[in-house]
Amino acid sequence: MQQASSHQHHYQHSAKPPVSRSSSWIRRSPPPSPPHKKLWGGGGGGGGGGRSRYVCRIVPLLVLTVYSIFTVVRIPSSSLVVSTADSERVERREDVEAFKTHLPSNQNNLEAREETRSPASLPCSALINGEAGGGQAAAESALCCDRSHYRSDVCYLRGDVRTDPSTSSVLLYNAPRGSAPEKVRPYTRKFEGSIMSTIDEVTIVPVVDAGSGSNGTTAGDTGKDSLRRRCDVRHPPGVPAVVFSTGGYTGNVYHEFSDGLIPLFITAQRFAGEVVFVVLEYHYWWLGRYGAVLERLTNYKVVDFRYDRRVHCFSEMIVGLRIHGELVVDPKLMPNGKGIQDFQALLHQGYSRTPSATAAAAAAQPPVPLALAAPPSRPCLRPDDHAKVAKPKLVIFIRKQNRVLLNLPHIVTACRRAGFAPHVMNLRRQTPLPAIHAALSSADAMVAVHGAAVTHFLFMRPGSVLLQIVPVGLDWAADAFYGKPAQQLGLGYLEYKVAPEESSLAAEYGVNSTVVRDPSVISSRGWWEMKKVYMDRQNVTVNIKRFGELLRSARLHLKNATACGKAASAATTTAARRSTPVQCSAHIVMQKVSKVTRET
């Protein structure tokens, strides 16, 4: 008989090899039939011999038929189905760079989904968010996991918590009776199975001591302590650990912020620095790149869970990170009402300091988080002041591999004619974040083709303008992943939607082809096909006249002091309702004028 098997291939960031898993089962062949015997005795002649031969033939056929039916019923349906998405991943195994993208790898996951509070998980959520009360309840051991959210699972432990790196586990001694082991992958893309399979799994092991009381302690705890893993590092009581992974899509700036740093802020900022970060799949370059942010969130050294073989002991631990959506901090889901403006203020504090000042502070004493202060907004000028100031600074981010601006010199000229002072930035992986922050925090506008680099709008001042050039086939993604978050941050937002004849795809497929005129046809074939066509093989030649009109709209927004005053008045009412800091011009949203942005 054949061996039936099902294979599922997963790919991860280029720093790790692909992970392959297989499961199979073998159908055993039936035992050979016994030699045929004469059923009616005697010689083989006459009608009896004919009936005997007939029976000898029909009986094995009946046996095989029954066995076949039984076998088909036993076959799991999953072993008979080969996913189209899986077959596409197999065919594109060599395209490991596909993980350096901010969109999910399955067409069914092409959605921007925001989290909401789950009433069913409120008790555990209250512990995770710090909303639970203190007193006797806080002294008791606790173990619970909130798995109700679409994007991440988060577990909470309280009591005698000790790490065990040798088995990639965490032990909770004197755990509540009835506690069961829990497994969690502390990464914020729970909905995407292919990438989650590459994330290290943490096993939480509850250890219930015999004879323990309701508060999880016994008179013999001192003697039993010798049976526990000895603490090599005992962290102060009241200083919890937050365990998370920097694997998965880390290496792409969008994911580093949306899947990592912002969820870390959401989860840990309430501790005001008195928290220890325990990192799985730790990267030294990640700490070097984002150390200025991390030191605003923790007063302690980061623990490398895999290679730090010491046993770390805590009184409290959170495994996993909360996430609210794409580049967003929802004040309604934060116990202290913090928002994305507070995260931006933290970035401003971290990257606006000079390297010498940072080094001196680090040498003098451990970093202490400062009170959050919003970055300076654009000043509201009187109409007669505009002649006295320099031209507004506009930063243009360019790409080299794909989605390239093919007529960049003409774009620069158009920016000058619109009254801007353009600065072109060619970002590389080694470009220091303080340099990018310095360029954008002092800029009045930013122009960029849709891609991960647009994430740097987080460095811009409220009231500035983000102008995103949207290639063919990427309209929805551009708005969901960058447009809406930019508006929530208080930026003016404009889109330049590339017309079919402005895309390099028109020369490759024809300006009236389905690929150019109806991208939904390609998108329906799956993420890999959509990425291959619209993200990897498309460059752009913008229409300078139409682009110039959009630039003039941006310039008018920056010059309109009256609108700034109106926004400040409206912001007062909005601030009282939302309880979030609002800057002058922070809530001016540039409307997408159909004559400018949607003409073809």
Side-chain angles (χ1 to χ4, degrees):
M1 301 295 293
Q2 293 180 339
Q3 179 178 352
S5 63
S6 65
H7 299 275
Q8 186 176 9
H9 296 269
H10 303 282
Y11 306 103
Q12 56 186 350
H13 188 265
S14 57
K16 300 176 69 175
V19 178
S20 175
R21 296 184 176 179
S22 64
S23 59
S24 63
W25 55 273
I26 301 175
R27 297 181 296 186
R28 295 183 178 180
S29 301
S33 303
H36 299 310
K37 296 182 180 180
K38 296 180 181 179
L39 303 181
W40 290 280
R51 284 193 300 272
S52 175
R53 285 192 300 272
Y54 176 79
V55 171
C56 290
R57 292 177 180 177
I58 198 64
V59 168
L61 291 175
L62 289 173
V63 171
L64 289 174
T65 301
V66 172
Y67 175 78
S68 300
I69 295 173
F70 176 73
T71 301
V72 170
V73 171
R74 287 182 57 206
I75 296 176
S77 60
S78 61
S79 64
L80 296 177
V81 178
V82 178
S83 166
T84 303
D86 288 343
S87 65
E88 290 173 350
R89 283 195 290 271
V90 172
E91 293 173 358
R92 293 159 182 84
R93 180 171 183 173
E94 70 282 358
D95 190 13
V96 294
E97 289 300 310
F99 286 110
K100 293 188 175 181
T101 171
H102 66 275
L103 292 178
S105 62
N106 188 304
Q107 64 184 31
N108 298 323
N109 291 327
L110 293 180
E111 57 179 332
R113 182 166 176 172
E114 296 185 358
E115 298 292 1
T116 57
R117 189 182 298 276
S118 172
S121 64
L122 183 58
C124 194
S125 294
L127 293 172
I128 295 168
N129 297 335
E131 298 169 332
Q136 179 64 25
E140 296 178 354
S141 61
L143 170 58
C144 67
C145 292
D146 182 0
R147 302 184 185 274
S148 63
H149 294 282
Y150 175 73
R151 293 174 174 268
S152 66
D153 293 330
V154 185
C155 293
Y156 175 84
L157 299 81
R158 184 177 61 217
D160 187 355
V161 183
R162 309 190 184 196
T163 63
D164 184 4
S166 62
T167 59
S168 190
S169 61
V170 175
L171 307 175
L172 175 61
Y173 291 98
N174 290 342
R177 290 189 178 276
S179 300
E182 301 280 359
K183 293 181 180 293
V184 61
R185 299 182 189 273
Y187 191 62
T188 56
R189 296 191 75 83
K190 169 184 171 182
F191 59 90
E192 192 172 357
S194 59
I195 200 64
M196 289 299 290
S197 67
T198 71
I199 303 299
D200 289 349
E201 186 175 64
V202 176
T203 302
I204 301 171
V205 181
V207 181
V208 181
D209 291 342
S212 62
S214 61
N215 62 352
T217 61
T218 69
D221 274 346
T222 303
K224 290 178 182 178
D225 198 59
S226 60
L227 301 177
R228 306 181 184 184
R229 294 189 60 83
R230 179 178 58 84
C231 290
D232 298 314
V233 181
R234 188 179 294 276
H235 296 271
V239 178
V242 172
V243 182
F244 61 97
S245 173
T246 56
Y249 290 134
T250 301
N252 173 283
V253 67
Y254 174 86
H255 290 289
E256 287 164 5
F257 277 92
S258 186
D259 300 342
L261 293 176
I262 293 179
L264 184 62
F265 172 82
I266 291 170
T267 307
Q269 60 84 30
R270 69 180 179 89
F271 298 111
E274 290 301 301
V275 61
V276 177
F277 294 152
V278 180
V279 180
L280 282 70
E281 299 164 277
Y282 174 89
H283 302 289
Y284 286 99
W285 65 261
W286 176 82
L287 181 63
R289 188 168 179 83
Y290 297 111
V293 178
L294 299 177
E295 71 179 17
R296 318 309 301 174
L297 293 173
T298 178
N299 300 331
Y300 302 88
K301 291 183 178 180
V302 174
V303 176
D304 183 351
F305 187 76
R306 178 184 293 176
Y307 291 107
D308 188 340
R309 312 309 294 179
R310 298 174 297 175
V311 175
H312 291 260
C313 298
F314 300 92
S315 60
E316 189 179 7
M317 178 177 286
I318 297 173
V319 184
L321 300 177
R322 285 286 194 218
I323 182 171
H324 295 163
E326 309 294 338
L327 297 176
V328 64
V329 179
D330 188 344
K332 298 188 297 295
L333 300 179
M334 297 290 286
N336 51 14
K338 298 292 184 181
I340 189 63
Q341 291 87 355
D342 297 282
F343 176 76
Q344 187 193 46
L346 182 144
L347 295 177
H348 178 71
Q349 291 175 358
Y351 292 121
S352 63
R353 295 175 299 170
T354 61
S356 59
T358 303
Q365 60 183 6
V368 178
L370 302 176
L372 293 180
S377 61
R378 298 190 69 259
C380 297
L381 301 177
R382 294 188 302 273
D384 56 348
D385 289 337
H386 288 287
K388 304 176 184 178
V389 299
K391 291 183 178 181
K393 177 181 176 181
L394 181 145
V395 176
I396 304 174
F397 282 174
I398 61 173
R399 300 175 60 93
K400 290 293 188 180
Q401 301 298 326
N402 46 46
R403 283 161 279 159
V404 176
L405 292 173
L406 298 177
N407 58 340
L408 178 62
H410 298 89
I411 292 174
V412 173
T413 300
C415 292
R416 289 197 183 100
R417 289 177 178 173
F420 288 98
H423 299 258
V424 177
M425 288 196 70
N426 179 18
L427 295 185
R428 295 182 173 85
R429 185 62 191 170
Q430 61 270 27
T431 303
L433 278 181
I436 303 174
H437 177 271
L440 287 178
S441 63
S442 62
D444 300 283
M446 167 183 166
V447 173
V449 182
H450 173 74
V454 183
T455 308
H456 294 108
F457 75 78
L458 290 168
F459 294 158
M460 299 182 71
R461 297 171 296 173
S464 303
V465 177
L466 169 63
L467 198 162
Q468 183 177 197
I469 298 175
V470 184
V472 170
L474 301 177
D475 294 5
W476 177 89
D479 183 61
F481 291 104
Y482 299 117
K484 287 184 173 62
Q487 295 174 34
Q488 292 175 357
L489 190 59
L491 302 185
Y493 177 65
L494 289 168
E495 279 185 355
Y496 180 91
K497 294 188 177 181
V498 173
E501 62 272 12
E502 298 169 7
S503 170
S504 62
L505 298 177
E508 183 174 356
Y509 295 97
V511 70
N512 294 317
S513 65
T514 301
V515 170
V516 176
R517 292 291 180 180
D518 191 2
S520 62
V521 174
I522 302 299
S523 299
S524 66
R525 298 177 185 175
W527 159 245
W528 290 105
E529 287 297 324
M530 191 273 282
K531 176 185 182 301
K532 182 179 69 173
V533 174
Y534 298 111
M535 300 189 76
D536 295 347
R537 297 168 63 174
Q538 182 173 193
N539 295 317
V540 173
T541 303
V542 303
N543 182 296
I544 295 301
K545 180 180 178 181
R546 190 160 65 94
F547 187 72
E549 294 175 357
L550 203 64
L551 288 172
R552 285 189 287 276
S553 297
R555 185 74 174 92
L556 180 62
H557 164 73
L558 296 174
K559 292 174 62 177
N560 196 338
T562 303
C564 181
K566 292 179 179 179
S569 176
T572 304
T573 305
T574 305
R577 184 174 63 253
R578 298 187 180 180
S579 298
T580 55
V582 180
Q583 300 287 333
C584 176
S585 293
H587 289 275
I588 299 177
V589 178
M590 297 299 294
Q591 297 181 352
K592 304 169 190 176
V593 184
S594 59
K595 291 183 180 179
V596 175
T597 61
R598 294 176 182 172
E599 285 183 348
T600 59

